[in-house]
Amino acid sequence: MARHGGSATTDVDADCARLAEAGTPVRGPDEPPWGRMASFTDPDGNGLMPLAEAHR
């Protein structure tokens, strides 16, 4: 059964670049009002999201 989860990070853009360089398709980064986020699926089908809060 696939699961979904988020992980706090300080640099969503750098995380997305590293994932893309490794050949992982990434959706985002997106910028909702509370910060930045992206999503990808791991080899087991789990949905994961690197998340960073907006600095105010």
Side-chain angles (χ1 to χ4, degrees):
M1 168 185 272
R3 298 177 188 246
H4 296 80
S7 178
T9 182
T10 57
D11 194 338
V12 172
D13 296 292
D15 293 341
C16 288
R18 281 191 294 274
L19 288 162
E21 287 172 10
T24 302
V26 179
R27 291 173 297 283
D30 297 316
E31 196 160 345
W34 51 263
R36 290 182 67 72
M37 65 176 283
S39 61
F40 65 97
T41 303
D42 74 9
D44 293 324
N46 300 303
L48 302 166
M49 295 181 295
L51 310 166
E53 286 188 67
H55 297 288
R56 301 190 193 277

